[in-house]
Amino acid sequence: MNDLWGNALSDFWSGWIIVITLGTIVFCAWVLFGNRKTDKRPDAQGNVETTGHSADGIDEYDNPLPRWWFILFIGTLIFALGYLALYPGLGNFRGLLGWTQERQWQAEMERAEARYAPIFERYRQTAIPELAEDDEAMRIAERLYLNNCAACHGSDAKGGFGYPDHTDDAWLYGGSPQAITRSIAQGRGGVMPAWNQLGDDNLRNLANYVASLSGAEHDAARAARGKALFSATCIGCHGVDATGNPALGAPDLTDDAWLYRHPGQPVREAVLATLHQGRKGRMPAQAPFLGQDKVHLVAAYIYSLTH
């Protein structure tokens, strides 16, 4: 933290922490040595000093700690002082070694990169369709997917509300190796505007027509009235045949893949909600975090799920 923020504490609080920490260690040492009595031999009458506590005929003797136990406590005090001298722990004092968690993380990442980079580089030289058939590569790719993609798309890659299913054949931006790689590396941003200016009745007609395109349950009369409205307002993105436009990320409305539909929700109701609210989806770019070699490997894994 000191690397990022400089001195994180004011001088007062830094000094307060130092005093409390070192004072506690000194107090522990005082208690330890203050109770270290070595002369515990019986007196002339054979009596041994006790604490005065007695119960059921059992007296509590005032004997010192065993020597090994006493030395162990001394060792912990020495270790504590040594640790606080070498590492951060006393307010803003950074320690003699200058250690920070950021530097250790960076060093570990550099070691991992040096060890595994040649492996990922070798995989990157392999075409995605061929790489998708390499079992060892796909085991590595699956771990990358689970660590970086499962939070949104699920550990089974089936997505969820607002997150695409990677196991079907419905692709907003195309399912070719190049398109998948582009989506992962550079991210995607899709916008569906709200159409409330058309009025609720027209939107219901339009929703029923869209539902009819995929054979979902719909009101035939409303669908018939919505067809002309679709031609006037929707074909610019979704196409005359409603099969979508990968260049824009406009979905195919003739299949049964719905990005914004809750389980069991009628298609026309899901479409109506989208028409009323609009949608704004964003897939963040992963290349800055994964690097191009790992992006290539993850793209091959996603490609393998549907091929």
Side-chain angles (χ1 to χ4, degrees):
M1 183 167 62
N2 288 338
D3 279 355
L4 298 176
W5 304 110
N7 290 338
L9 301 171
S10 67
D11 291 340
F12 171 80
W13 287 113
S14 177
W16 175 261
I17 290 173
I18 292 174
V19 170
I20 292 296
T21 303
L22 294 181
T24 300
I25 293 176
V26 170
F27 175 75
C28 290
W30 175 77
V31 171
L32 183 64
F33 282 94
N35 289 276
R36 178 63 176 170
K37 300 178 181 179
T38 58
D39 188 10
K40 289 294 181 178
R41 291 172 297 180
D43 59 18
Q45 288 74 37
N47 297 319
V48 179
E49 183 180 353
T50 70
T51 63
H53 299 159
S54 180
D56 297 329
I58 299 175
D59 296 323
E60 181 180 351
Y61 289 166
D62 188 19
N63 290 326
L65 290 173
R67 181 177 179 81
W68 69 269
W69 202 345
F70 178 79
I71 293 175
L72 185 62
F73 273 123
I74 295 297
T76 61
L77 294 177
I78 295 174
F79 174 84
L81 292 173
Y83 181 91
L84 291 173
L86 297 175
Y87 294 95
L90 294 174
N92 289 327
F93 177 62
R94 301 186 180 208
L96 299 178
L97 296 180
W99 176 92
T100 67
Q101 59 186 359
E102 291 84 3
R103 291 176 188 170
Q104 180 173 339
W105 176 83
Q106 186 63 41
E108 291 175 357
M109 292 299 293
E110 290 173 357
R111 287 196 297 269
E113 184 68 19
R115 179 177 180 181
Y116 297 111
I119 299 175
F120 291 121
E121 173 64 24
R122 174 167 55 85
Y123 285 143
R124 190 181 179 187
Q125 302 306 318
T126 305
I128 284 179
E130 179 182 349
L131 188 59
E133 298 178 356
D134 186 326
D135 292 338
E136 180 181 359
M138 289 303 95
R139 283 194 294 271
I140 298 174
E142 182 181 22
R143 298 309 308 170
L144 288 172
Y145 185 92
L146 292 174
N147 289 335
N148 297 277
C149 311
C152 293
H153 298 281
S155 58
D156 58 359
K158 291 186 178 297
F161 186 84
Y163 298 100
D165 184 344
H166 288 156
T167 65
D168 60 20
D169 59 356
W171 298 94
L172 290 176
Y173 294 93
S176 67
Q178 296 77 14
I180 296 173
T181 302
R182 160 70 173 78
S183 294
I184 300 171
Q186 302 179 29
R188 299 289 189 180
V191 176
M192 163 67 184
W195 289 92
N196 292 308
Q197 67 271 27
L198 297 178
D200 184 70
D201 191 62
N202 281 330
L203 291 184
R204 290 186 179 279
N205 293 338
L206 190 55
N208 276 274
Y209 175 70
V210 171
S212 73
L213 295 174
S214 60
E217 182 182 354
H218 62 280
D219 183 315
R222 281 191 174 277
R225 293 194 293 269
K227 182 176 181 179
L229 193 58
F230 183 90
S231 298
T233 58
C234 306
I235 62 173
C237 292
H238 296 281
V240 176
D241 56 0
T243 55
N245 185 346
L248 300 175
D252 183 347
L253 301 178
T254 65
D255 59 20
D256 193 34
W258 302 97
L259 188 60
Y260 293 98
R261 179 191 176 199
H262 295 289
Q265 183 183 27
V267 170
R268 63 176 182 273
E269 295 300 327
V271 174
L272 181 62
T274 295
L275 292 171
H276 273 300
Q277 302 169 19
R279 301 296 182 186
K280 187 175 182 180
R282 180 176 176 271
M283 161 67 185
Q286 298 298 310
F289 309 103
L290 295 177
Q292 291 295 341
D293 292 349
K294 294 178 183 177
V295 165
H296 185 78
L297 197 55
V298 173
Y301 175 73
I302 294 175
Y303 182 86
S304 73
L305 296 177
T306 55
H307 294 77

